[in-house]
Amino acid sequence: MKNILMGMVFVIVAFCATASWAASSQTVTVNATVAVLTGGLSVSVSKVTGTVWTPATAISFGTLVWDSVNKIFLPNCYYAVDIGVTDNTGTAWTLTHTRASLANGSSNINNKVNVSFNKQTSSTTATELQKVSYANSNGIAYTKAQLSGGWLRIYYGVGTGEAGKDAPGVTPIGLDTLAGTYSGSVTITLTP
């Protein structure tokens, strides 16, 4: 009996050692469709007072306050305008900034306002691309390649007269500026 059992174990081991399973496979398809988003332009304006950012619908510096020490008029805030493009088509788009004069009749304050163009990569991380006077901000453009990995943020602020703060050619608003309300506009255009 012992020999029979030993023989059966030997036959089973030999069978298992020489038997092989035939290879088999099956392919399962995987896919996803990404919807096309094209030509979406978003513009959001924020009023910045100290460290507080408040949503706004316009860039309105309001009535400027006379600084009797420096003999200039100053606002209590500046503005940040964030511009985003929603487009996944691969199109090489361009954002262009144009402006209408900040005028009061025949007088203007175009050389008394700073405009700073920045590439934002997070809400707190940016690279300044260019800082100019409002007068020189007309027609400035940035491409998709230049803004890759971020978005365009433009800061607007009245000239302060502080060294290093103002763009070249920007001077503060002093008594040489005619009293009154100065109005203008900026337009951001997305082109393919």
Side-chain angles (χ1 to χ4, degrees), residues 3-4 6-7 9-10 28 32 34 38 42 63 72 75 78 89 101 106-107 112 131 133 141 163:
N3 286 339
I4 294 176
M6 292 281 277
V9 168
F10 177 74
V28 177
V34 177
T38 182
S42 65
T63 302
I72 60 175
Y78 62 94
T89 64
S101 185
S106 61
S107 186
K112 300 191 181 287
K131 188 180 215 178
S133 67

Side-chain angles (χ1 to χ4, degrees), residues 9-100:
V9 168
F10 177 74
V11 169
I12 291 173
V13 169
F15 176 75
C16 288
T18 59
S20 64
W21 292 85
S24 117
S25 66
Q26 187 171 1
T27 302
V28 177
T29 302
V30 178
N31 68 47
T33 302
V34 177
V36 174
L37 295 177
T38 182
L41 177 66
S42 65
V43 177
S44 65
V45 180
S46 298
K47 178 180 181 179
V48 184
T49 308
T51 59
V52 178
W53 289 54
T54 307
T57 57
I59 298 170
S60 176
F61 294 108
T63 302
L64 304 179
V65 177
W66 177 248
D67 176 345
S68 59
V69 173
N70 296 306
K71 309 293 187 221
I72 60 175
F73 289 95
L74 293 170
N76 68 349
C77 64
Y78 62 94
Y79 283 84
V81 177
D82 287 306
I83 299 117
V85 176
T86 305
D87 187 292
N88 65 353
T89 64
T91 301
W93 46 259
T94 300
L95 289 171
T96 305
H97 177 273
T98 54
R99 57 107 186 128

